[in-house]
Structure formats: structure tokens, C-alpha cells
Amino acid sequence: MVNKSRKTPSNSHDIKGRSGIRWSILFHMAWSNIINKKLRSALTVTGVIIGIGSIFFLLSFGLGIQDLVTKQIIGNQTIKTVVVSTTNSRIVKLDKDIVKKMTSLPHVQESGLVYSFPGSLSQKGSAVDTVAYGVDMHYQDMVALKIIDGRLLTQQDNKSVLINDSAAKAIGFKNPKDAVGKKINLTVPLQDAGAKKDSFENNYTVVGLVSTGAGSEVYIPSFHFDLAGVPAYSEVQLLVDNTNNIPNLRKQVESMGFQTTSPSDTIDQVNQIFSLFNLVLVGFGSVSMVVAVLGMFNTLTISLLERTKEIGLMMAMGGRNRDMSRLFIIEALLLSVMGAATGIGLAVIIGQIVNTVLVTFARQRGVETAFQLFATPPWLILSLIGFMGLVGLVVAILPARRAHRINPIDALRRE
């Protein structure tokens, strides 16, 4: 009589009570298989290196260009500011009462004031048209003028002036730095400004040289325009405590009849453009990524076919079906992570070499400011390594499932 109470498990070897193979042993077996199959493993890892390396290189380039363009467009402005200007209306003006009201609005930390008028700059017979800015100390700090030589204006300055390098060259200084400490004459007409004076003219001492662009620009203390009786400011900058509060502040200011702009607008537009640009770059890099994935899948499949008898033996000695699946998952993860890390490392090195060559070439053409065309943020490195690890898991699913279903008896009968 057959005892029907005893049942033999069918395909499954995940019998309750079996401890299976330790993770450390599975890791060692997967690593040994990669090492023993040097050529196949090298070709597979090379495919991953090319795939991830090309994606990282292109994305690094795209992010670097985005950062460079953003810095050039925004310049020295802080993104926590709101720039307030008039709509050329005679009804609303940026006078002291309005500025006081704006400064008292919620989340406004301080305000920077500026007058802006065309003027004439001269030195020893050389004259040039310029834009004269009358600034207070808050505005000067918000704009964060880039000093080339000398210093910024202070509260104690009376007849001191900042000029940019373009203005220094225009009035005859071959080396713009030579202008620091020299006397210059500035004339500013005010006929159309509604001021008490038709113009003012003074000799100023250049205390600092700044870099602001191609046009001729001069910065003087704002009290010169106050003494001339200029009734309204040309522009006001409001410093906000947090960028999240900028939209609400702009609505409040615009309800008073003024125009507002913010560097955050430009940043949003740049980010939108470069989001599409980066997607295109990733698309180019993904072509080689597809080849790498196919190569990894082929490697794991061949490895499964070659090791069928070995798997059957391990299962006969106490291994579980899930251990066989884990073995191929670990092998896929090792191949993908090694390839991703190496590919990113090589992409960083190549990017720095390319950037160094371009910076050297630019300096030979007269560009003094160094630049960085490739960005390597930590989040990008970790994201691509994690992405490749996930790809390795997906690629290993089919070989791992086939390994899970191997019947040890059929496996041992082979060969």
C-alpha cells in the first residue's frame, strides 16, 4: 500500500526549512564566473561603459552649458530680487513714498535704489557717451558688481566713481586698471527728468573698475541725483526673504501700476529650453545603451546555458530555486554597476580634458575668464549608477526565471 500522505514537491526546491546558499557565497560564485569568462565579461562591461559613459558625457555637457548660460544671462544679480520699474507713465512714479510702501510689504527685506540717465564722460580731451547710474549701498550690494581693480563705493564717498572697463578704454586708458585713482569729468543732463537742475557736472576720482559688459557705464553715489532734485527713481530692486514668495510680491507691486521682472523668470525659460536639449542628448546616448543591454542579456543567457549542470548539482546539494535566481541577479548587478562606475569615471576625465583644451584655446584668443563646460553634480552620478543597476535587474529577470525553473534531475542528466 502506498502512503499517500507523503508528497514530493514538483518543480519547486524552495522547501520550507532549507537555509539555502548564503549571499556571500552567491556573490563569490557570480564574481568567479565573471573573472573566469574574461573576454565575454570584458566585452559586456565595455558595452555598459560606452552606453553609460556617453549618456553621462552628453548630460554633463548639457548641464554645464545650461549653468554657463544661466550665469551669463543672470550676471551678478541675485535670484531673490524683484526689479520694479515704471511703464513710462506720468501718473505712477517710483518716488520715496512708493518705495517706502513697497519696502513695508511682507517678505521684503530691503530695497535698492538706482537713478539711470545718459551722460558724457571725459578725461584729458577724450570724451564718450555713457550711462550714469546713481546707486545707494543696498543696490550696489544686491547687484554684486564684479570688481576688477580698486574697491566699491562706500557711505563716506563724496566725489568718487566706479567705471567699467569699457568706459576706461573709451576715454583713452589702454590698460583699464590704470584708470583707478585718476580724475574724470562726468556731465549728466536732466532736462526731461523734472529735476530742479537742468544738469550737473563734477570731477570724480575713480576708486574702482568693474566688469559689466560692452557698453560704457559709470556708477556714482545716488545723493548727487537727490541734490539735483530728481523726483523719481529709474528702478528699484526689492530683496525677498525666499524665492517662493516672489510671485505674490510681484502681484502686489503690479497692482500699484508698476512693472516687475525677476531673474527667476530667465532661469525658468533657460531651464525649459535646456530640458528639451538634454532629452535630445540622452536620446543620442541611449542608442549605445541599447547595445549594452542586449550584450548583457546575451552574456547572462549564455552563462545560464553553460551552467545548467552546475545549477542542478547545487540544487541537489541543498540549494533553492530562488538561490539560482539570485545568482544571476547578482551577476547582472556586478556587470552593470562596474560598467556604470567605470564609464562615468572615464566620461569625467574626458570632459575635463576637453574643457582644459577649450579654455587654453580661448585664452589664446584673448578670453581671460575661465569657464567650465561640463557639470558633474553628485545626483547625476548616483542617478546613472542607480539607473544602470535597475537596468541590470530588468535584464536579469528572464535568465533568473529560467534558472528558478530548472529541474535538478533534468539538469544532472545533461552531458
Side-chain angles (χ1 to χ4, degrees), residues 143-178:
V143 176
L145 295 171
K146 183 179 179 182
I147 285 287
I148 299 176
D149 196 24
R151 62 173 176 83
L152 293 173
L153 297 172
T154 64
Q155 293 281 9
Q156 291 71 36
D157 284 323
N158 184 10
K159 291 188 177 181
S160 301
V161 64
L162 300 177
I163 65 173
N164 67 350
D165 49 354
S166 298
K169 292 177 181 178
I171 57 176
F173 292 100
K174 292 182 179 180
N175 183 357
K177 293 182 179 180
D178 293 339

Side-chain angles (χ1 to χ4, degrees), residues 150-372:
R151 62 173 176 83
L152 293 173
L153 297 172
T154 64
Q155 293 281 9
Q156 291 71 36
D157 284 323
N158 184 10
K159 291 188 177 181
S160 301
V161 64
L162 300 177
I163 65 173
N164 67 350
D165 49 354
S166 298
K169 292 177 181 178
I171 57 176
F173 292 100
K174 292 182 179 180
N175 183 357
K177 293 182 179 180
D178 293 339
V180 178
K182 300 298 192 300
K183 295 280 187 179
I184 62 172
N185 180 270
L186 176 64
T187 303
V188 181
L190 301 172
Q191 290 91 344
D192 299 328
K196 295 178 181 179
K197 296 182 179 180
D198 290 337
S199 66
F200 70 83
E201 179 180 0
N202 284 305
N203 289 320
Y204 296 90
T205 300
V206 178
V207 296
L209 184 72
V210 296
S211 175
T212 58
S216 175
E217 295 180 353
V218 176
Y219 295 83
I220 61 175
S222 58
F223 73 84
H224 289 283
F225 290 90
D226 294 332
L227 293 175
V230 178
Y233 303 106
S234 302
E235 183 181 284
V236 174
Q237 288 210 13
L238 302 177
L239 181 63
V240 187
D241 56 1
N242 192 299
T243 54
N244 295 328
N245 297 319
I246 288 179
N248 287 333
L249 177 62
R250 292 181 65 178
K251 289 179 181 178
Q252 290 176 293
V253 173
E254 288 170 1
S255 67
M256 300 178 188
F258 297 96
Q259 289 181 335
T260 64
T261 58
S262 175
S264 59
D265 295 338
T266 307
I267 292 178
D268 291 339
Q269 293 174 2
V270 170
N271 289 339
Q272 289 176 5
I273 294 171
F274 276 93
S275 294
L276 179 61
F277 179 63
N278 290 332
L279 284 176
V280 174
L281 294 180
V282 170
F284 284 116
S286 298
V287 175
S288 55
M289 193 68 235
V290 172
V291 177
V293 169
L294 293 176
M296 185 183 297
F297 179 78
N298 181 66
T299 297
L300 294 175
T301 303
I302 294 175
S303 178
L304 173 64
L305 296 175
E306 291 179 343
R307 301 169 69 185
T308 301
K309 188 174 182 180
E310 177 187 344
I311 291 171
L313 180 60
M314 286 190 293
M315 294 174 68
M317 295 177 65
R320 300 171 300 180
N321 294 73
R322 72 179 65 175
D323 294 327
M324 304 305 107
S325 299
R326 290 171 179 172
L327 178 62
F328 285 92
I329 291 174
I330 292 173
E331 189 169 331
L333 286 175
L334 286 173
L335 290 171
S336 57
V337 171
M338 283 192 304
T342 306
I344 291 172
L346 289 175
V348 170
I349 294 172
I350 294 172
Q352 291 304 312
I353 292 173
V354 171
N355 191 82
T356 301
V357 171
L358 292 176
V359 168
T360 302
F361 180 78
R363 285 178 176 171
Q364 292 174 352
R365 296 295 183 273
V367 179
E368 296 181 359
T369 305
F371 52 84
Q372 181 59 256

